[in-house]
Amino acid sequence: NAGVTQTPKFRVLKTGQSMTLLCAQDMNHEYMYWYRQDPGMGLRLIHYSVGEGTTAKGEVPDGYNVSRLKKQNFLLGLESAAPSQTSVYFCASRTPGTSGGTSTDTQYFGPGTRLTVL
Amino acid sequence: AQSVTQLDSHVSVSEGTPVLLRCNYSSSYSPSLFWYVQHPNKGLQLLLKYTSAATLVKGINGFEAEFKKSETSFHLTKPSAHMSDAAEYFCVVTLPGWGGKLIFGQGTELSVKP
């Protein structure tokens, strides 16, 4: 298993350009997530999906859109990139599992995409 | 609101000495808690997790953490640091009904001196 993969690994954009980040997982996981990581702030959730065809907003969704047309793929789009979106983007996936109503299963993370917006 | 606070942004230890990375959480419910490690320019790897079973949780690479509800803490420890432990560590919480969404602490950078 490759686990969770992300494409591309690095990208430089100019302000106003658009791009799509691809996340793929081969573990048949139901849930997938997109995070951004900024210095001193840990990871923050952008959007997530609890199954094929579903998406939901996370903590910092503005300026991003997502799609989950296939179970194994979760796409993150930037329609008009801004310098504030310079960050490292991580995708993660997991299978639902709970104990007493609390999530128990591990999220598996991809290697990240480093995006710079000039 | 639920939150996670890592009390030190940077910890420096000598090789062979104990490691203590501190984490406090705020939650109205019984949380699941995790520690993840991130080596430079790498993704995140799960070290260990607490999910309401044993309060002392053992993880990979000799790390362990103890869930203390009375202190709302989940500190990460290791008896003897190794140079390969140098990395950034994140304390993370997830809650019931959140679809598995994680709330991350700000991170603690661990340096290990020879």
Side-chain angles (χ1 to χ4, degrees):
Chain A
N1 286 352
V4 180
T5 58
Q6 293 181 232
T7 309
K9 288 185 170 54
F10 304 93
R11 186 73 185 268
V12 178
L13 290 179
K14 294 181 180 179
T15 296
Q17 287 185 317
S18 63
M19 78 163 293
T20 300
L21 282 66
L22 171 64
C23 176
Q25 52 94 5
D26 61 3
M27 297 174 282
N28 202 35
H29 285 170
E30 292 292 334
Y31 291 16
M32 296 186 75
Y33 309 82
W34 275 108
Y35 296 88
R36 59 178 289 172
Q37 182 179 27
D38 301 294
M41 301 186 73
L43 274 71
R44 293 180 293 168
L45 182 65
I46 304 171
H47 285 280
Y48 67 104
S49 168
V50 300
E52 183 178 322
T54 74
T55 63
K57 293 181 180 179
E59 184 184 358
V60 288
D62 294 340
Y64 305 94
N65 56 76
V66 288
S67 64
R68 183 97 182 270
L69 298 179
K70 294 182 179 180
K71 185 177 183 179
Q72 64 267 34
N73 295 337
F74 194 30
L75 278 64
L76 178 71
L78 286 72
E79 291 186 350
S80 179
S84 61
Q85 294 177 304
T86 293
S87 188
V88 182
Y89 292 85
F90 287 98
C91 177
S93 72
R94 76 172 185 96
T95 293
T98 59
S99 173
T102 300
S103 169
T104 57
D105 282 295
T106 303
Q107 287 193 19
Y108 293 87
F109 285 82
T113 294
R114 188 174 296 274
L115 175 66
T116 302
V117 183
L118 302 175
Chain B
Q2 291 73 33
S3 66
V4 176
T5 302
Q6 291 183 241
L7 300 172
D8 306 290
S9 60
H10 186 258
V11 170
S12 182
V13 301
S14 297
E15 190 174 23
T17 64
V19 175
L20 170 63
L21 305 183
R22 299 182 294 166
C23 172
N24 286 113
Y25 69 92
S26 172
S27 171
S28 301
Y29 305 94
S30 295
S32 285
L33 292 157
F34 306 78
W35 276 99
Y36 280 85
V37 60
Q38 184 181 29
H39 288 92
N41 300 313
K42 300 289 186 183
L44 283 82
Q45 180 184 19
L46 180 71
L47 275 180
L48 49 81
K49 63 182 180 181
Y50 166 77
T51 56
S52 73
T55 56
L56 182 62
V57 182
K58 294 188 183 299
I60 61 171
N61 300 334
F63 284 94
E64 62 182 38
E66 185 172 8
F67 174 73
K68 292 186 177 180
K69 187 174 181 179
S70 61
E71 299 177 9
T72 62
S73 69
F74 190 57
H75 301 335
L76 181 70
T77 61
K78 182 174 181 178
S80 176
H82 191 272
M83 295 296 292
S84 62
D85 294 328
E88 187 147 23
Y89 293 78
F90 293 97
C91 182
V92 182
V93 64
T94 187
L95 294 169
W98 275 30
K101 289 184 290 180
L102 303 179
I103 299 293
F104 281 76
Q106 303 92 325
T108 298
E109 184 178 354
L110 176 65
S111 300
V112 182
K113 297 175 289 185

